[in-house]
């Protein structure tokens, strides 16, 4: 099977196994982001406005527009090789892939890449699917797709 197909099927299988359809709660997601994610990430739009988290937080990549983004593709961030490989193999962040990733980043990469030496540079896990769903609902608000139609379309990133 071509590698790309394998990667996509792997991500799909993980999605089904790891994701029970659940509508996240944006407010709960904001609180969870503040307590669990903003030590390493923020959400900064193309104009440089920090929409969540603190300025100059670059331990983890900017999560503005992360929903719909290819994994490991935020320009200028030094990702681990495994995450970049997953993205190049077709992994995009959506509810299913991000839920699986947040619950266990290393397992997600190992299963997706079919390589049990794959590693994640994110050493953090969300405890349960409900919290992941809340955080995803919160993050879905930030991105070009969610911006007003009359806003100037910022450059990709
Ligand atoms: C201890 C620091 C740390 C914490 C806490 C953390 N992250 Fe991360 N995160 C990282 C790093 C570093 C990476 C890059 C991983 C890699 O390159 O393998 C990353 C990557 C990601 C990615 C992939 C982004 C992309 O561009 O492909 C997502 C999504 C993500 N984190 C979401 C979260 C969320 C949501 C939380 C809170 C629940 C969180 N992270 C908490 C450090 C952290």
């Amino acid at each position: 099977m071509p590698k790309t197909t394998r990667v996509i099927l792997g991500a799909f299988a993980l999605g089904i196994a790891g994701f029970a359809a659940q509508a996240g709660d944006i407010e709960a997601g904001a609180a969870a982001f503040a307590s669990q994610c903003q030590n390493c990430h923020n959400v900064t739009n193309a104009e440089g406005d920090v929409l969540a988290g603190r300025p100059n937080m670059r331990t983890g990549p900017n999560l503005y527009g992360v929903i719909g983004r290819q994994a490991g593709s935020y320009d200028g961030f030094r990702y681990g090789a495994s995450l970049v490989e997953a993205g190049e193999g077709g992994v995009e962040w959506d509810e299913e892939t991000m839920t699986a990733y947040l619950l266990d980043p290393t397992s997600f990469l190992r299963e997706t890449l079919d390589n049990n030496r794959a590693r994640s540079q994110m050493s953090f896990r969300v405890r349960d699917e409900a919290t992941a769903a809340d955080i995803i609902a919160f993050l879905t608000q930030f991105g070009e797709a969610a911006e007003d139609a009359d806003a100037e379309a910022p450059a990709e990133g």
Side-chain angles (χ1 to χ4, degrees):
M1 202 186 286
K3 194 168 180 194
T4 307
T5 314
R6 253 199 295 125
V7 169
I8 290 171
L9 288 178
F12 187 62
L14 259 176
I16 291 188
F19 180 74
Q22 242 167 347
D25 178 308
I26 292 175
E27 273 181 39
F33 183 88
S35 62
Q36 300 183 37
C37 315
Q38 74 177 22
N39 286 333
C40 297
H41 293 277
N42 71 17
V43 177
T44 304
N45 69 13
E47 288 77 38
D49 303 323
V50 180
L51 306 178
R54 304 188 197 95
N56 303 317
M57 174 48 71
R58 304 212 172 86
T59 305
N62 179 6
L63 295 179
Y64 181 82
V66 71
I67 308 293
R69 189 159 92 196
Q70 177 181 315
S73 70
Y74 183 69
D75 207 25
F77 185 80
R78 292 170 63 102
Y79 290 98
S82 299
L83 189 58
V84 172
E85 191 184 338
E88 287 172 349
V91 173
E92 227 180 55
W93 296 124
D94 58 21
E95 286 171 65
E96 299 181 12
T97 54
M98 207 190 286
T99 299
Y101 180 76
L102 292 179
L103 291 173
D104 190 341
T106 297
S107 293
F108 174 80
L109 292 172
R110 289 186 177 181
E111 293 186 33
T112 300
L113 298 172
D114 192 18
N115 173 0
N116 59 21
R117 283 181 304 183
R119 280 165 187 275
S120 171
Q121 288 190 6
M122 173 160 135
S123 53
F124 186 84
R125 292 178 183 208
V126 170
R127 205 170 295 153
D128 54 64
E129 281 180 24
T131 306
D134 293 343
I135 293 170
I136 291 165
F138 174 67
L139 289 174
T140 301
Q141 303 175 100
F142 306 114
E144 286 167 37
E147 302 266 310
D148 290 339
D150 60 13
E152 279 287 308
E156 178 73 4

